[in-house]
Amino acid sequence: MSGTDTDALPVGTGACTRLPQLDGLRGLAACGLAFLYHPQSLFTSEALAGAPRPLLWFQTWGWTLVDLFFLISGYIFAHVYLQDGALSRDRLASFAVARVARLYPLHLLTLLFCAVFFFADPANTGLAFLAHLFMLQAFVQPVAQTFNGPSWSISIEAVCYVLFALAAVGGRRTLRWVTLIAIFGSIAHFVLAGRPGGPWVGDGLPRGLLGFFLGQMIWHLRHRLADAPKMMLACLFVFGLALDMGQRSSLLPLALYAWPSLLLLASRVQWMGSAPMRWLGDRSYAIYLVHFPMLELVERWWGPLGGGIGTVWAVTAAFALAVLAVADISYRVIEVPSRRMIRDAWARHRGAVKAHPASPA
């Protein structure tokens, strides 16, 4: 899940131009995952039997919206940090602090919540807790399915951030090579080792690298792609959704055709950048992290629900409203204040270092 925000830019770079349409797209992707994919576990198979075709798609493939997050994240990172020298060697520490300030406070809070309420789960071991604490949960199996399961993608994004930052400060040529290796290495993984269906645990890192660095490449090509006909993009989107890969992973057509086309289309749609969409985009990270613990609580209290498709829609709507309310509170009470506090502390530290430089030995 992308934790990118344009206010992470160093002051005075001049590149801090928000991409509101992509904020809206990120918000919709978070809602698709949180309200249409994961909540199917709330219902019996009989209750879901009459689901319309779009809902069936989300029930089967909604997990791939994480790959759309990776793509959006890579595009926005390039937009924020590759203009006007916004990311240079002397700003690496500030970059790291900004990322920690953006991602860690809410991750820590939801981790502690899950540790308190789901401590009895056999998989929630001390080792798993430490892995989550240091944001390594995607790399210690089966830790990715413990505590707040969807947070595995944060580990993957952190790796993408490190590779991107180190490559960017190494210069354009270094960044170009890292980008190509990340994209084609990930494609090779899915061609040679990809399996149908999913999600599969071993695909986490290739999915993140492919989406993130492909998003960055699309940003570099944005001016050339600006003239691409909307109808062509719409056809590519449908093609990526519909292509049957047989015994190979269907992530490739989604990652290479559907989601890039959707990103480019969304960037041209004005209402995607409207105030409600920006509101949703601002809270997308909170939606992503808080919905799963809430879902776990509902499952434990009420178990699978029967009934018809009307019950499914009613319960899903009620769950969505509850998550949006909690996400809004989390955003305003936890995310924004903690982000500001960490950045202010870092700014004071840097100011103190500049005012009192270390004496030469």
Side-chain angles (χ1 to χ4, degrees):
M1 170 60 195
S2 173
T4 313
D5 56 336
T6 51
D7 65 342
L9 259 175
V11 176
T13 59
C16 187
T17 302
R18 185 168 182 170
L19 300 173
Q21 285 88 352
L22 297 192
D23 286 340
L25 181 61
R26 183 173 58 194
L28 290 179
C31 290
L33 188 73
F35 306 149
L36 299 178
Y37 174 65
H38 282 142
Q40 65 183 298
S41 61
L42 292 176
F43 308 101
T44 63
S45 57
E46 291 78 13
L48 294 170
R53 187 175 295 273
L55 182 57
L56 290 175
W57 185 92
F58 278 101
Q59 290 172 358
T60 304
W61 295 105
W63 57 274
T64 64
L65 290 170
V66 175
D67 300 275
L68 178 57
F69 292 146
F70 289 138
L71 188 78
I72 295 171
S73 183
Y75 190 99
I76 295 179
F77 261 75
H79 175 77
V80 171
Y81 288 108
L82 296 183
Q83 299 188 73
D84 301 333
L87 185 58
S88 56
R89 193 175 301 274
D90 63 330
R91 287 174 171 157
L92 275 178
S94 296
F95 172 86
V97 170
R99 293 301 91 219
V100 170
R102 181 68 176 92
L103 296 179
Y104 199 74
L106 190 58
H107 165 65
L108 178 61
L109 180 66
T110 55
L111 172 61
L112 295 176
F113 179 91
C114 292
V116 170
F117 284 91
F118 311 134
F119 69 92
D121 288 2
N124 290 342
T125 63
L127 177 61
F129 182 83
L130 287 176
H132 280 268
L133 193 64
F134 291 99
M135 298 180 69
L136 296 173
Q137 60 268 33
F139 303 101
V140 185
Q141 301 308 328
V143 178
Q145 285 76 49
T146 59
F147 294 102
N148 194 359
S151 71
W152 69 267
S153 66
I154 302 174
S155 294
I156 302 298
E157 285 227 14
V159 172
C160 294
Y161 297 164
V162 171
L163 287 176
F164 169 79
L166 295 178
V169 301
R172 292 184 178 181
R173 184 176 181 181
T174 301
L175 181 59
R176 187 180 302 117
W177 274 110
V178 170
T179 298
L180 292 175
I181 292 172
I183 291 175
F184 288 103
S186 299
I187 291 175
H189 165 82
F190 289 113
V191 170
L192 299 174
R195 292 172 287 174
W200 308 110
V201 171
D203 291 341
L205 185 58
R207 288 171 64 186
L209 293 175
L210 177 59
F212 186 92
F213 284 95
L214 184 61
Q216 184 228 149
M217 179 176 285
I218 293 173
W219 179 83
H220 281 289
L221 299 173
R222 66 195 184 284
H223 297 304
R224 297 182 184 180
L225 296 172
D227 295 328
K230 290 183 179 180
M231 183 57 67
M232 183 190 75
L233 294 175
C235 290
L236 285 174
F237 173 67
V238 174
F239 174 74
L241 292 180
L243 183 60
D244 184 359
M245 294 295 290
Q247 293 304 305
R248 299 189 182 276
S249 174
S250 293
L251 276 171
L252 281 183
L254 288 165
L256 297 178
Y257 298 111
W259 300 146
S261 300
L262 182 61
L263 184 150
L264 293 171
L265 282 170
S267 66
R268 302 184 188 184
V269 179
Q270 291 301 315
W271 65 265
M272 286 292 292
S274 62
M277 291 295 99
R278 294 198 306 273
W279 185 93
L280 205 59
D282 286 338
R283 289 148 183 83
S284 59
Y285 184 59
I287 292 171
Y288 185 74
L289 283 189
V290 307
H291 85 275
F292 201 74
M294 294 177 65
L295 183 65
E296 289 279 302
L297 289 178
V298 174
E299 285 182 0
R300 290 168 189 242
W301 288 341
W302 287 293
L305 301 172
I309 194 63
T311 300
V312 171
W313 285 121
V315 172
T316 299
F319 177 72
L321 290 174
V323 170
L324 289 174
V326 174
D328 180 56
I329 295 171
S330 300
Y331 175 74
R332 291 186 290 107
V333 177
I334 305 299
E335 281 194 72
V336 174
S338 60
R339 190 188 319 169
R340 185 180 299 117
M341 180 182 65
I342 293 172
R343 290 177 178 170
D344 288 347
W346 174 248
R348 289 193 299 271
H349 170 74
R350 292 195 64 185
V353 170
K354 290 180 180 179
H356 304 286
S359 300

